Every structure is written in C-alpha cells, then in structure tokens.
Amino acid sequence: MPADPLHRAGQPQRSTTSQPTPGSRTSAIEVRRSARRRRTVSAYREGDRTVVLIPARMSEAEEQRWVTVMLDKLAAQENKRVIGDTQLAERAERLSAEYFEGRARPTSVRWVTNQNTRWGSCTPSEGSIRLSHRLQGMPEYVVDYVLLHELAHLLVPGHGPRFWQLLEAYPRTERARGYLEGVVAAERLPHQPVSAEEQGHGADPDMPPPAAGPHAG
C-alpha cells in the first residue's frame, strides 16, 4: 500500500472523533492514528467514548472497516454471559416466529464442543440443531444469524436460492457473515510478536483484512 503523504513517519498522531447518531446507544468513536503503529489495530472504552488505535498509513476505507470490526470485538468481550441450552432453544423459537412465521420448529437446540470447523449444524430428519461453543461470547446478532441459518435448513435442506431467500429476511445477515469471515481469517494468520509500543488496550487483532469464508451447516 502506498504511504499516505499526510501520515509519513515522524508526523504526530492524528485523532478524529465521530458522534453517535441521535437516539442510538453507541458511544462516540475516536480514531487515533499513529506512525509508530504498523500492523495492529486496538480498541478500548474510555469513559463515554470508544477509542480505536490504527496505523497512520491506513486508508479511510480500511479505517471504516476496522472500526466496525473492533466495535464488534469489544461488544463480544463485554458480552461474556453464556446462555444455556434452554435459553438457546427459546431464542431459536423467537427467531423462527419473527422471521419464518414459526414454521421452523426444532426438536432440540444445544451447544456442542465437537464442532471446530463449522459454526452450526442441523439434522432435518431429527429436527436437531447444534451450535459450536466457539460462538459463545460473540455478538448476539452473530449467534442469531447462525441460529437462523440452521433453522432455515429445517425448511430447505440445501443452500440453493430458496434457502438464501429465507435468510434475506434477517437484516444483519451480511454483517454477521462478515464478522465470522473475519474470525476465520484471523485464526489463519501466523502469530507474530507485537512490540510494546504497538500494543493497545482491549481488542487487538492483526491488521490484514478478512478474506476467508465461514461455514455453517
């Protein structure tokens, strides 16, 4: 990526702040650029605002993408309450009623620990849905998407056009898929030591953009 002339090494850190939209529960977001930060993006809460630390050379488009990623990661870290199988089944029932007119009726919905290559699975003949424990702690809209994905399989077994038409009813489908793709991409990155000056507080993934795809049953 060509260096941004405004962000050459030695230039002071630049900070920009965006305010939340009226009526939203999102705090103000402050983006701080630093020439010393080269590969990592970090985020943390500071009072009533969220601070995102990024490399100075990052483009505006990359900044917007990573602000969204980091807000999701912070939300996941702060949402550590793990719901049990009973609550998960109740959640699936509510989602089916809201998006599928209650037509998807699983016989069981539960967490499992033996699914490390997929986020969820469904056995239509049994009506059973299983979600990977790796989803626990992720943002609620991501878990809801995977639940809806598996509920849709009770109505349409394959991944044809009819299946994806069902998921179009959920407004956060693309965002949830993007989040899961980012998780998969981050897991495939080689681990590289990060210097103390590049480390921040809170969520802190490596910078290369998500590129791989998730798989739900």
Side-chain angles (χ1 to χ4, degrees):
M1 181 193 312
D4 186 334
L6 295 177
H7 304 148
R8 291 173 183 156
Q11 292 283 350
Q13 175 174 292
R14 184 168 68 89
S15 176
T16 59
T17 302
S18 60
Q19 297 298 325
T21 56
S24 72
R25 294 182 298 173
T26 305
S27 62
I29 301 167
E30 179 179 347
V31 178
R32 298 177 183 172
R33 291 174 175 266
S34 173
R36 293 185 304 174
R37 181 176 291 268
R38 297 181 179 179
R39 286 188 51 83
T40 59
V41 179
S42 302
Y44 59 93
R45 307 294 190 194
E46 187 177 80
D48 61 352
R49 69 179 58 218
T50 300
V51 178
V52 182
L53 309 175
I54 65 174
R57 65 185 177 87
M58 185 176 287
S59 70
E60 294 297 326
E62 289 175 316
E63 173 184 320
Q64 293 177 13
R65 180 171 69 248
W66 278 100
V67 165
T68 299
V69 169
M70 300 310 292
L71 289 176
D72 283 342
K73 286 186 173 293
L74 280 177
Q77 289 180 357
E78 294 166 355
N79 182 29
K80 291 300 185 181
R81 183 176 67 88
V82 176
I83 64 173
D85 291 346
T86 299
Q87 292 84 358
L88 195 64
E90 293 173 349
R91 195 159 165 180
E93 183 179 357
R94 290 196 302 271
L95 290 169
S96 176
E98 183 174 357
Y99 295 102
F100 300 151
E101 299 177 339
R103 292 181 294 124
R105 299 177 180 176
T107 57
S108 65
V109 183
R110 60 191 177 90
W111 297 106
V112 294
T113 58
N114 61 351
Q115 291 189 161
N116 294 317
T117 59
R118 59 175 60 196
W119 299 113
S121 61
C122 173
T123 306
S125 60
E126 300 176 357
S128 60
I129 290 175
R130 298 164 296 280
L131 262 60
S132 171
H133 72 289
R134 297 167 63 217
L135 290 164
Q136 294 173 345
M138 289 189 185
E140 289 185 2
Y141 75 88
V142 176
V143 178
D144 286 350
Y145 164 73
V146 178
L147 272 175
L148 282 167
H149 186 113
E150 304 309 332
L151 286 167
H153 277 310
L154 294 177
L155 305 175
V156 181
H159 289 100
R162 288 185 56 228
F163 175 84
W164 294 111
Q165 286 173 4
L166 287 174
L167 287 182
E168 285 178 359
Y170 184 54
R172 308 185 84 175
T173 288
E174 290 305 316
R175 184 176 180 186
R177 284 171 60 85
Y179 182 94
L180 293 173
E181 287 170 358
V183 172
V184 172
E187 290 175 348
R188 292 177 179 176
L189 289 173
H191 176 72
Q192 295 184 354
V194 179
S195 65
E197 67 182 13
E198 290 181 322
Q199 291 180 354
H201 307 277
D204 189 11
D206 277 338
M207 195 182 70
H215 178 67

